[in-house]
Amino acid sequence: MKQHSDGFFYHISHATRMPGEIDKPLISHHLVDSDGSLAEPPVGALKVGILGSGDFARSLATRLVGSGFSVVVGSRNPKRTAGLFPSSAQVTFQEEAVTSPGIIFVAVFREHYSSLCGLSDQLAGKILVDVSNPTEQEHLRHLESNAEYLASLFPTCTVVKAFNVISAWTLQAGPRDGNRQVPICSDQPEAKRTISEMVHAMGFMPLDMGSLVSAREVEAMPLHLLPAWKVPALLALGLFVCFFAYNFTRDVLQPYVQEGKNKFYKLPVSVVNTTLPCVAYVLLSLVYLPGVLAATLQLRRGTKYHRFPDWLDHWLQHRKQIGLLSFFCAALHALYSFCLPLRRSHRYDLVNLAVKQMLTNKSHLWVEEEVWRMEIYLSLGVLALGTLSLLAITSLPSIANSLNWREFSFVQSTLGFVALVLSTLHTLTYGWTRAFEESRYKFYLPPTFTLTLLVPCVIILAKGLFLLPCFSRRLTKIRRGWEKDGAVKFTLPADSILAEKTSHV
């Protein structure tokens, strides 16, 4: 965030702008002058005022003018800032800007609200739209929101909180490049309706958040840094650290302690590449484990109307993020695998193998079993990664919104389970007979892949059990409202298989 002369937030990161461009406006003269739609507002257009001339105010004015509104901008130095706004926007002093419009956007910092108190008489009876955001320190320090504070300073005005979650870039480029939702809250329903109509006219989607008391919650939204990703990210990081330490102990520390071999060069690539598929595989299994636990609870309780435990409910809500992190680790594993032949150590190993073959007079080195194992192993890995890619793509809102519920469920549930099975076969083919070789147990620790197989095999086994008629029919009845020893009794329709596929209540 950055502060301009009229003191307002803009949501484009300061770090994304070059030092030499720090004083350049977000909206260039070329953009304003080249857009013919910004030349003149239509006759009879609703007049809207803006107090402030920072980057966000300029983006807001551009969007309003392009949406057919007449805009009057109030600035403390209109001569200096007039050239930065669309030519059809009137830039004048604050006192003149608030005279005629019935809706005023307040685009200044909270600490500058008191400087507007001299305009109380002109602002009486008007709608003030507060678009400001506090910093984290200000949000913790103040008990009341910026909008509530503004309402206390102007009791004769109707204050509406809106547009604080929309960045200046989204206003400039259009809602297709950002979040379309605009949370709105106010104590006056009529004022909310008016602003909601403006939001629609500007190409966004209004979201009614209730009274002005909700403004504190609305102002906290931009302060949250990926709240839904915190737990999944910590989970992935914890798994990575654990598997990395385990692989380091087996592949680096054991040769150094017991054989005196220095293999610390494996840490940057080899150990990381051994760790990533373990994390991806376990994360993918954790996507489908809560579904198995939920189905088990429903079968045990004989009803779907009992709440799941909080930990299971939160787990179910984080499945999308866990799945995307699984895909991320799998993609990194594929990239690291492509880099393995580029390592200098790999080239030395090839030369040493060739020399060893010459010394032993072996003219032909070919192990049929190993050749087939690697061919199947790589093929299964490619198929698993391709299926995971499809799952990741359909998780995007733009793609998910184009699918109906049955299509989305098929991709995420059926193909997701197929990806888990392919990953399991990929892991089993990698391990082959290594789990039964004594030399693979370094420091008496089993190979890493054997540990990763535990949870996925349990899930696959449970899914297979749920397909049995004694479990599948009962689970289908429960999900359609049947209760054990309850008042709801009915006979499952003959086409229960179709019902099971389409009903996800």
Side-chain angles (χ1 to χ4, degrees):
M1 296 182 182
K2 184 180 176 183
Q3 182 179 6
H4 285 259
S5 59
D6 282 346
F8 184 60
F9 294 102
Y10 77 110
H11 303 261
I12 303 297
S13 173
H14 174 77
T16 60
R17 303 181 67 180
M18 300 300 293
E21 300 175 341
I22 194 170
D23 295 328
K24 294 181 180 180
L26 180 65
I27 302 177
S28 63
H29 293 279
H30 175 73
L31 174 65
V32 175
D33 296 338
S34 62
D35 192 349
S37 64
L38 306 182
E40 291 295 336
V43 179
L46 177 65
K47 181 172 289 189
V48 179
I50 300 176
L51 293 177
S53 56
D55 278 332
F56 190 90
R58 294 195 287 270
S59 298
L60 181 62
T62 302
R63 176 57 54 186
L64 287 170
V65 169
S67 301
F69 294 94
S70 176
V71 178
V72 181
V73 180
S75 174
R76 291 178 294 184
N77 194 336
K79 291 184 179 180
R80 185 180 65 181
T81 59
L84 302 176
F85 286 86
S87 58
S88 60
Q90 179 185 353
V91 182
T92 182
F93 290 100
Q94 293 180 344
E95 294 80 1
E96 300 175 5
V98 300
T99 302
S100 55
I103 301 174
I104 308 294
F105 285 86
V106 181
V108 298
F109 276 122
R110 176 190 178 113
E111 54 264 31
H112 299 302
Y113 286 173
S114 57
S115 65
L116 303 176
C117 291
L119 306 175
S120 297
D121 293 339
Q122 296 98 312
L123 293 175
K126 300 181 182 293
I127 297 176
L128 302 184
V129 182
D130 177 39
V131 297
S132 67
N133 281 319
T135 62
E136 292 188 22
Q137 294 76 14
E138 292 173 342
H139 184 71
L140 295 174
R141 185 169 64 249
H142 300 299
L143 297 179
E144 61 179 356
S145 64
N146 290 0
E148 291 174 304
Y149 176 62
L150 182 66
S152 67
L153 294 178
F154 300 93
T156 59
C157 300
T158 300
V159 176
V160 179
K161 186 71 185 184
F163 288 99
N164 66 300
V165 302
I166 301 297
S167 67
W169 174 254
T170 301
L171 284 171
Q172 175 183 332
R176 62 184 179 277
D177 295 325
N179 192 345
R180 295 175 58 89
Q181 287 189 342
V182 177
I184 300 174
C185 62
S186 176
D187 291 333
Q188 298 295 330
E190 186 63 25
K192 282 195 295 185
R193 186 187 65 81
T194 301
I195 302 303
S196 296
E197 292 176 354
M198 289 188 63
V199 171
H200 269 299
M202 296 169 68
F204 296 95
M205 296 291 293
L207 179 62
D208 192 346
M209 297 293 292
S211 64
L212 201 62
V213 177
S214 303
R216 183 172 176 83
E217 177 185 352
V218 174
E219 291 176 2
M221 290 180 179
L223 301 179
H224 297 157
L225 180 60
L226 303 175
W229 288 84
K230 184 176 181 179
V231 174
L234 291 175
L235 174 63
L237 180 61
L239 287 173
F240 183 86
V241 171
C242 292
F243 280 115
F244 186 88
Y246 191 86
N247 291 322
F248 167 77
T249 303
R250 283 176 40 84
D251 300 338
V252 179
L253 193 59
Q254 186 271 343
Y256 182 77
V257 173
Q258 293 187 345
E259 303 174 18
K261 296 181 179 179
N262 186 350
K263 294 190 176 182
F264 285 88
Y265 67 88
K266 290 187 173 183
L267 287 176
V269 178
S270 181
V271 177
V272 172
N273 190 47
T274 307
T275 302
L276 285 172
C278 300
V279 177
Y281 188 33
V282 173
L283 286 176
L284 181 61
S285 65
L286 294 179
V287 172
Y288 296 96
L289 180 58
V292 172
L293 297 177
T296 304
L297 281 176
Q298 289 179 339
L299 286 172
R300 181 185 176 186
R301 295 170 174 174
T303 179
K304 70 172 185 177
Y305 296 109
H306 287 180
R307 281 198 58 183
F308 295 134
D310 290 340
W311 59 268
L312 181 56
D313 191 45
H314 292 151
W315 193 350
L316 290 166
Q317 294 176 13
H318 286 103
R319 287 181 297 176
K320 174 183 175 181
Q321 289 77 16
I322 297 175
L324 290 175
L325 288 174
S326 172
F327 169 71
F328 175 71
C329 292
L332 285 181
H333 169 56
L335 292 176
Y336 268 92
S337 299
F338 280 120
C339 295
L340 290 179
L342 302 178
R343 298 175 304 157
R344 182 67 62 179
S345 58
H346 179 75
R347 300 179 184 180
Y348 287 151
D349 287 339
L350 289 178
V351 173
N352 292 334
L353 180 62
V355 172
K356 183 178 179 180
Q357 185 177 353
M358 292 176 61
L359 294 176
T360 56
N361 294 324
K362 291 183 178 180
S363 60
H364 183 69
L365 184 60
W366 182 276
V367 181
E368 189 75 16
E369 180 181 342
E370 280 298 303
V371 171
W372 275 99
R373 183 184 72 84
M374 285 302 299
E375 294 291 327
I376 298 174
Y377 163 72
L378 292 175
S379 178
L380 291 172
V382 171
L383 290 175
L385 182 59
T387 310
L388 277 177
S389 303
L390 183 60
L391 294 174
I393 291 174
T394 54
S395 296
L396 298 174
S398 58
I399 304 298
N401 292 337
S402 65
L403 303 175
N404 60 40
W405 171 246
R406 190 175 182 184
E407 294 169 340
F408 182 80
S409 179
F410 171 78
V411 173
Q412 294 294 324
S413 298
T414 306
L415 291 186
F417 183 69
V418 170
L420 183 62
V421 173
L422 289 173
S423 301
T424 302
L425 295 175
H426 176 67
T427 306
L428 289 172
T429 310
Y430 168 80
W432 208 246
T433 60
R434 298 180 186 181
F436 308 105
E437 299 175 5
E438 185 178 353
S439 60
R440 301 291 179 178
Y441 288 78
K442 302 176 181 180
F443 277 156
Y444 301 101
L445 298 175
T448 313
F449 74 90
T450 59
L451 302 180
T452 62
L453 283 168
L454 296 176
V455 177
C457 287
V458 170
I459 295 174
I460 294 174
L461 179 61
K463 288 279 190 179
L465 290 176
F466 290 156
L467 293 177
L468 297 177
C470 57
F471 291 111
S472 63
R473 290 182 61 85
R474 183 180 177 87
L475 192 58
T476 302
K477 290 190 339 183
I478 290 174
R479 289 176 175 173
R480 291 173 64 86
W482 177 85
E483 291 185 90
K484 179 178 66 175
D485 300 330
V488 181
K489 303 288 185 180
F490 64 92
T491 303
L492 198 65
D495 54 345
S496 59
I497 298 179
L498 177 61
E500 183 179 357
K501 289 184 178 179
T502 57
S503 178
H504 298 276
V505 180

